[in-house]
Amino acid sequence: MRILITGGLGFIGSNLATRLSKQAHHITILDNLNPLYGGNKFNLHDANLDNIDLIIGDARDKELILRLVKDIDVVFHFAAQVSYIDSLNIPFEDVEVNSVSTLILLESIKKLNQKTKIIFSSSRLVYGRILQTPVAENHITAPLSLYGIHKMVSEKYLEIYQRNYGIPYVIIRITNPFGIKQQMKHNKYSIVGWFMRMAMEDKVIKIFGSGEQKRDYIYIESLIDAFNKVMLNNECENKIYNVGAGYSIKFKEMVNHIVAIVGKGKVEHIEWPTNYESIETGNFEVSLQKLHEDTGWINSCTFEEGIEKTFKYYKRYYEEYF
Ligand SMILES: NC(=O)c1ccc[n+]([C@@H]2O[C@H](COP(=O)([O-])OP(=O)(O)OC[C@H]3O[C@@H](n4cnc5c(N)ncnc54)[C@H](O)[C@@H]3O)[C@@H](O)[C@H]2O)c1
């Protein structure tokens, strides 16, 4: 297949590109390497570069997108303003990258080839405050951040273009992914990577409040398995799926485990900053039944195994990620 991955130098995109490049696919990566996010050319160090074209450019560039989607079978649309905290500070960047770029992609596909499938990386944050766990895909969506709203707008665009033009889509609502090739430059998102760095540098890791809040952390390999399965399975078209580990652990357990595996770092509890508390969703635990029933996918990696693999990777390639 001919596959376009927007945001393909980032954490999720590059892990997927690496996997797909070793199969018989041809991959085009589009990434603007905006320093706020996790794009990193080193992320392709173990990919089969014979099967990858790398384009440094912007997912908001209409002419470029029109050129790139020509003859493409599947688009993984991952380019994003990824920080839900920042979405309130840079609202226009957020709406442009998280919503308008999806519309640009859809308009290009509408013009060129309406059979092109879009696989979109949405987020657990479209649900907002959690009323019932485990969270199934039909849980109420009431986002508490602009990031969540703009991801949901993209989901709605995909549904409308499917209804009107038949353009197939799959929406994946990701929980908290972690693992190799994740950015560790700042703590605005991908907190597991940031805490791993803090521990490796023997620094103090600050936990807001008591750290009792539960999260579902999925290791990157399992997430890539899920993307691979929904790409190949036509049953998945025009559906929304949660993807996560399927079980949650307390925030403080996550931190304590990282510190234990790394063998360095200290933990300190501090007050919640006001801007975080207003968008805190409460405990999160996801139902994976729909994805499992449609594709047979199961989460193949525990949190503990994932942390060990992640630590091994950063011990080896530490200097490539700061
Ligand atoms: N990391 C998470 O916690 C998480 C959780 C749920 C959903 N997601 C979604 O998964 C997707 C991938 O996120 P990630 O974790 O790999 O983050 P990442 O920061 O590692 O990757 C995002 C990539 O998009 C690129 N990018 C940003 N704006 C762009 C633009 N205008 N044009 C072209 N490229 C652009 C960045 O350079 C970066 O390489 C995003 O859509 C994100 O919203 C991430």
Side-chain angles (χ1 to χ4, degrees):
M1 277 192 278
R2 298 185 63 85
I3 297 166
L4 171 65
I5 306 178
T6 73
L9 287 179
F11 163 49
I12 300 174
S14 66
N15 274 290
L16 181 70
T18 302
R19 171 91 64 96
L20 295 175
S21 72
K22 293 174 183 168
Q23 301 165 359
H25 301 297
H26 187 273
I27 323 294
T28 302
I29 286 177
L30 171 68
D31 201 295
N32 71 351
L33 283 175
N34 183 330
L36 288 176
Y37 310 116
N40 186 339
K41 284 187 180 168
F42 181 76
N43 281 346
L44 296 181
H45 70 100
D46 53 346
N48 178 358
L49 296 179
D50 291 342
N51 286 339
I52 297 182
D53 286 331
L54 174 59
I55 312 286
I56 302 301
D58 203 294
R60 294 164 289 185
D61 180 338
K62 289 183 191 146
E63 281 169 23
L64 177 62
I65 294 295
L66 192 63
R67 198 151 40 83
L68 291 183
V69 298
K70 192 168 179 289
D71 301 326
I72 289 287
D73 301 301
V74 179
V75 180
F76 287 92
H77 186 33
F78 292 167
Q81 190 303 104
V82 193
S83 162
Y84 71 96
I85 304 289
D86 259 357
S87 64
L88 213 51
N89 303 326
I90 46 173
F92 295 108
E93 165 124 4
D94 199 89
V95 72
E96 282 171 21
V97 188
N98 290 341
S99 302
V100 177
S101 74
T102 307
L103 198 55
I104 291 172
L105 195 56
L106 283 161
E107 276 294 306
S108 305
I109 289 171
K110 181 183 105 182
K111 281 189 195 128
L112 291 177
N113 179 3
Q114 298 177 3
K115 291 200 174 70
T116 306
K117 174 154 60 186
I118 302 182
I119 302 179
F120 179 64
S121 53
S122 187
S123 163
R124 72 179 181 91
L125 294 174
V126 299
Y127 293 117
R129 210 168 301 287
I130 299 309
L131 304 177
Q132 197 181 4
T133 54
V135 179
E137 291 81 353
N138 59 4
H139 185 285
I140 289 172
T141 48
L144 297 168
S145 58
L146 288 182
Y147 172 82
I149 290 174
H150 295 150
K151 283 284 183 192
M152 212 174 84
V153 167
S154 274
E155 293 190 1
K156 297 293 175 199
Y157 287 153
L158 290 162
E159 286 171 4
I160 284 178
Y161 275 66
Q162 198 288 321
R163 239 179 282 134
N164 286 279
Y165 307 109
I167 298 171
Y169 69 82
V170 186
I171 291 165
I172 299 294
R173 292 180 179 157
I174 306 168
T175 58
N176 289 84
F178 74 98
I180 66 169
K181 304 184 180 178
Q182 186 166 43
Q183 70 85 16
M184 302 171 121
K185 296 180 288 191
H186 57 70
N187 64 353
K188 290 180 173 173
Y189 62 91
S190 300
I191 202 72
V192 172
W194 174 252
F195 286 169
M196 173 89 51
R197 173 178 174 181
M198 292 289 99
M200 289 172 78
E201 293 178 348
D202 202 16
K203 294 204 171 128
V204 176
I205 298 176
K206 293 181 178 163
I207 299 180
F208 299 140
S210 61
E212 294 292 317
Q213 66 274 29
K214 286 180 153 187
R215 291 286 179 271
D216 173 307
Y217 300 98
I218 179 169
Y219 186 61
I220 187 67
E221 261 173 45
S222 292
L223 178 60
I224 298 306
D225 288 346
F227 276 117
N228 209 15
K229 285 217 185 266
V230 300
M231 176 181 80
L232 296 172
N233 190 334
N234 291 342
E235 286 279 298
C236 298
E237 283 181 6
N238 313 324
K239 291 186 186 166
I240 298 178
Y241 294 99
N242 290 328
V243 180
Y247 65 95
S248 60
I249 58 173
K250 289 180 181 169
F251 201 79
K252 64 179 180 189
E253 290 169 354
M254 176 269 285
V255 176
N256 288 335
H257 192 73
I258 292 174
V259 169
I261 292 293
V262 174
K264 283 197 281 185
K266 292 160 211 70
V267 181
E268 189 189 311
H269 290 262
I270 57 166
E271 290 286 307
W272 279 93
T274 43
N275 62 333
Y276 278 67
E277 206 168 25
S278 62
I279 47 181
E280 163 61 20
T281 57
N283 287 342
F284 192 85
E285 194 157 302
V286 82
S287 165
L288 302 169
Q289 199 181 344
K290 188 173 170 189
L291 181 67
H292 177 66
E293 276 174 12
D294 283 4
T295 68
W297 177 88
I298 48 161
N299 174 23
S300 56
C301 190
T302 63
F303 176 73
E304 289 76 12
E305 287 164 347
I307 289 295
E308 291 203 17
K309 288 182 186 185
T310 308
F311 179 46
K312 201 169 151 205
Y313 182 83
Y314 286 118
K315 251 195 317 195
R316 184 158 176 205
Y317 299 119
Y318 182 79
E319 68 286 354
E320 304 289 346
Y321 288 87
F322 309 109

